[in-house]
Amino acid sequence: MKIAWMLLWVLLASLLPAAGQQGKSRRSGPEVTLLELQSHRESGRIMIDGRVKVTSDRPIKGVVLLFDLMASGNQVISTQKIVVAEETVEPGHEAEFGGHVVDHARAIRIRVHCEDRDTRHLRVANAGPFPIE
């Protein structure tokens, strides 16, 4: 009886590593690359312009950029968003974006995050932080 239990434990232990890898994502790189970003203050707003490229191997259902406005010490004081594309975007597509976010006097840097229109987080290459000029 003890031998049967030991064989059962060995069998279960050998299956656990395979089960753990099954849930891992096959995607390894970023889905979006930030190619360019400029920002400056104007009339109580922070104007932001730039370009992004979809580097995913699958289409993305819309592209929404989230901007963390950061104070000294990289403390996030506000997160605001700009919609780059509402429609589905194909791999390799580049898009320019422009817009503004509400200015915070203590904000000195911007870090970028990205999500699709269903609020699924997307990995971003070259996410910053970038200085606010």
Side-chain angles (χ1 to χ4, degrees), residues 23-116:
K24 287 186 179 179
S25 175
R26 292 183 189 137
R27 298 171 290 163
S28 60
E31 284 107 350
V32 175
T33 299
L34 187 61
L35 300 173
E36 191 177 322
L37 184 119
Q38 299 93 30
S39 62
H40 66 277
R41 289 184 158 88
E42 183 178 299
S43 304
R45 300 184 239 174
I46 298 174
M47 308 303 288
I48 302 173
D49 296 304
R51 282 185 318 128
V52 294
K53 180 176 184 176
V54 175
T55 51
S56 170
D57 57 349
R58 298 179 181 177
I60 296 176
K61 298 180 196 172
V63 177
V64 178
L65 294 178
L66 296 113
F67 299 97
D68 286 341
L69 301 181
M70 303 164 65
S72 61
N74 290 335
Q75 174 191 8
V76 176
I77 54 177
S78 177
T79 300
Q80 300 177 44
K81 66 180 178 179
I82 293 177
V83 176
V84 175
E86 291 185 17
E87 69 282 348
T88 300
V89 182
E90 296 298 320
H93 179 76
E94 288 187 24
E96 291 185 1
F97 64 89
H100 66 276
V101 296
V102 176
D103 190 4
H104 288 268
R106 294 182 4 231
I108 59 172
R109 290 184 199 89
I110 296 176
R111 183 175 54 211
V112 182
H113 301 275
C114 189
E115 59 186 33
D116 67 9

